[in-house]
Amino acid sequence: MKKIGIFGGTFDPIHVGHLSVAGEFAAAFGLDQVLMMVAAIPPHRDRPVASPEDRLQMVQLAVQEYPGLTASDLELVREGPSFTLDTVKEVRKEAEGAPIWMALGGDAYSLISSWYRPEDVLAQVHLVVLTRPGYSVDLMSPLPKILSERYTSNGDAYLHDSGGSLRTLQVSPLDVSSSMIRKAVFEGESIRDLVTVEVSQYIQQKGLYRPQTV
Ligand code: ATP
């Protein structure tokens, strides 16, 4: 059966760090397809600078050369606030019951108790919290007690009594971030090697991230 991964982000813009980590995520769990899930208006952070359409377009351009990665607009086309639970349910429906792995940064995971019905999300996916060398994440402490009680440890993962698992994956982050790229474009510096050629051309053609002229 096909194995599906979800890698969410604002992708404002998508960069080589995202592509590299998505590849590591796919390889670690033998995933057939990773959905690069473009967030609409992410909670707990600033509004993206580029429009949802531009961010989606850049993800589509970036994944062209990566057969295992697919741009997903599921959260963009949804009306109203976007909940992870809705995304997971829709992906599961489309994947006809295929197992789903969802990757998440440590910062996002630390806020899990503020999610809408986290227990329902965790019952439906294998959740993978990304860490970097030298950092460790305590997987149980961000969970409400009632939820942590539903897990047993089996060595390298925690198993939820529904069958879902919770684990960390150490990835090798590249020294790049979307904010670094926006700043470079704003200041007229090169972003070569930080994004794919197609994304760089798109940013230039559309005049994204440049100072506003009045
Ligand atoms: P910003 O600089 O605007 O905060 P970002 O580069 O962190 O953006 P996001 O779209 O917020 O990009 O990131 C989506 C996911 O990718 C998050 O889980 C984030 O931790 C991860 N990520 C971002 N940059 C890297 C990187 N260089 N290496 C590994 N993971 C990354």
Side-chain angles (χ1 to χ4, degrees):
M1 188 185 275
K2 222 172 156 187
K3 292 178 171 180
I4 310 285
I6 302 175
F7 186 94
T10 37
F11 302 127
D12 188 21
I14 186 166
H15 54 66
V16 292
H18 296 132
L19 295 168
S20 144
V21 167
E24 287 186 60
F25 171 47
F29 300 103
L31 306 178
D32 299 287
Q33 187 187 26
V34 176
L35 303 174
M36 304 299 278
M37 189 65 61
V38 184
I41 301 175
H44 319 299
R45 55 178 292 167
D46 293 342
R47 241 188 133 79
V49 177
S51 69
E53 295 74 22
D54 283 331
R55 291 182 291 116
L56 175 65
Q57 188 77 41
M58 290 189 280
V59 175
Q60 282 167 341
L61 289 169
V63 300
Q64 275 172 358
E65 308 292 320
Y66 296 79
L69 309 183
T70 309
S72 177
D73 66 354
L74 266 185
E75 295 189 351
L76 297 181
V77 298
R78 189 178 300 147
E79 305 267 314
S82 214
F83 296 117
T84 304
L85 180 60
D86 297 328
T87 303
V88 165
K89 280 186 178 163
E90 280 180 62
V91 172
R92 274 187 76 113
K93 203 164 139 204
E94 280 184 19
E96 295 172 349
I100 311 286
W101 273 258
M102 191 167 82
L104 201 63
D107 292 353
Y109 180 69
S110 69
L111 301 172
I112 192 163
S113 60
S114 67
W115 289 12
Y116 176 63
R117 288 165 49 187
E119 63 282 9
D120 292 349
V121 177
L122 289 165
Q124 300 194 50
V125 295
H126 299 292
L127 195 74
V128 178
V129 181
L130 304 172
T131 64
R132 47 184 71 203
Y135 289 83
S136 64
V137 177
D138 177 1
L139 291 174
M140 287 298 119
S141 60
L143 296 179
K145 189 160 184 289
I146 188 155
L147 190 47
S148 59
E149 281 168 351
R150 298 190 63 183
Y151 279 97
T152 44
S153 166
N154 84 337
D156 52 57
Y158 287 96
L159 299 182
H160 189 272
D161 53 24
S162 68
S165 64
L166 173 61
R167 71 186 79 215
T168 57
L169 174 68
Q170 187 171 299
V171 291
S172 320
L174 302 178
D175 184 19
V176 52
S177 67
S178 299
S179 32
M180 181 195 283
I181 293 164
R182 294 194 299 273
K183 183 167 179 284
V185 175
F186 190 87
E187 293 173 354
E189 289 164 12
S190 166
I191 53 168
R192 203 170 148 240
D193 300 335
L194 302 181
V195 296
T196 67
V197 173
E198 291 78 12
V199 170
S200 169
Q201 285 169 347
Y202 186 89
I203 290 172
Q204 201 175 5
Q205 279 159 13
K206 301 279 291 211
L208 301 180
Y209 312 122
R210 290 219 204 112
Q212 300 286 338
T213 43
V214 275

